[in-house]
Amino acid sequence: MVVVHRARFVLSPGAAAVTDGAVAVAGGRILSVGSADEVLASVGPGAVVHEWDGALTPGLVNAHTHLQYSDMAAVGLAAHAGFEAWMSAFMELYPVPRDWGASAAAGAALALRSGTTTVAEIVTDAAAGSAVHDAGLHGIAFWEVLGWTERAWDERGERTVRAQLAALPATPAIGLSPHAIYSLDTAVIRDLARLSAELGVRQHIHAAESAWEDAYVRSGTGDLAERWRANGRGEFALLRDGGVGTGVIRYLDDLGALNPSTHLAHGIYVDAADRALLRARGVSVALCPRSNAVIGLDAPPVAAYLREGNAIAVGTDSLSSSPSLSPWHDVAALHDIARAQGYAADDLHARLFAAATIGGAHALGMDADTGALRPGARADLAVFPVSASTARDALAELVEAGPDEASLTVVGGRERWTRTPGHDRSSAGV
Ligand SMILES: [Zn+2]
């Protein structure tokens, strides 16, 4: 069966906007995209046509989230004075017994409502491991690895992580998330890069999220270094040896962790040399500006990333550090940050729209399949309400003040979310 979604505007990164456009879908794939007249003529009679009053776009890609923390929203709705303060608030709630599977499922439902079709999901507790799969979302479930010293890792680390990975559902895809440079020993980060290559899975790492990571790596100093020493983690090589004399990004590169099958989250505290290295290694960065603000961190250097041509994507992070799972809200924050940082070019709307769609797909290694509306791609799309009367204004409206909720979310050709079915849509055979 052919289904045609017709909308006031059809917007896709890298393509001309279409007013009164349509997308034809069959067998979970996009058949055609264009003006409604052309698409309807090409599919012939018998197609089911849904008409939408809004802007139809590729499904959004949330390139960094932890859906399992969706019922820790009390932490994300507060304001924190910095990473340590946020971490204390988080750790106060984390051990409270809860159903991580249900929490992750609730987050997955919110992601679909926001128009998201693909996620980079970090799974810390096994009970949350099937939520992406169960909700019908695309993306990657990255198994989070943290807390290993080299000594413990040598005894049982790789065996443990291989078993944990094997327990996750194989679809949509699995990956490895070495948590961060301060929660894993140096040799473990190196070994995980080797293991991910061997298993053919992608990596996703929190990096340069906090200003103190630099001193921690460079010289094994700073507040966290002192805290770890006091808590018996002084055997981490960086602390034992007094650092490696480089910053976070160079350190990860020296460990073999930076390559096109890895993407980073946050990337706030990076300089021009770091950004050049990320470009040279083909590493995307998922920017999560609202999470950064809630935690009390600085804004990411989005203007520099854009000017210098880095590959960027957009992540909401989790509800434990962000008020919602709507990527549009982070896009709006990035828009304001980029302007405040002096990015004046008029391609800002288009580039941030691209970051939240094809840029996210690229970060996950899925840009051949999703992130743009084109014949043959997976039918991942969403419709958003807009009040603008031109396509150009509709894009500006979405980027600067995108809605909480989509009117429709379709993943792989299947409707996974529809707002008030029958209210703002009409169906008719042609
Ligand atoms: Zn995170």
Side-chain angles (χ1 to χ4, degrees), residues 52 59 88 97 107 144 157 164 182 193 203 205 258 341 368:
W52 300 95
S88 304
E144 188 165 57
Q164 289 165 332
Y182 53 87
Q203 290 202 105
I205 308 171
L258 299 189
Q341 290 172 346

Side-chain angles (χ1 to χ4, degrees), residues 266-317:
H266 301 295
I268 303 171
Y269 301 96
V270 294
D271 62 19
D274 294 328
R275 293 189 292 271
L277 184 54
L278 294 173
R279 291 195 298 280
R281 296 291 181 262
V283 173
S284 296
V285 180
L287 304 175
C288 313
R290 289 185 305 152
S291 167
N292 305 152
V294 164
I295 292 176
L297 306 168
D298 291 310
V302 59
Y305 278 128
L306 289 170
R307 273 194 212 104
E308 296 164 13
N310 281 73
I312 60 166
V314 178
T316 61
D317 217 332

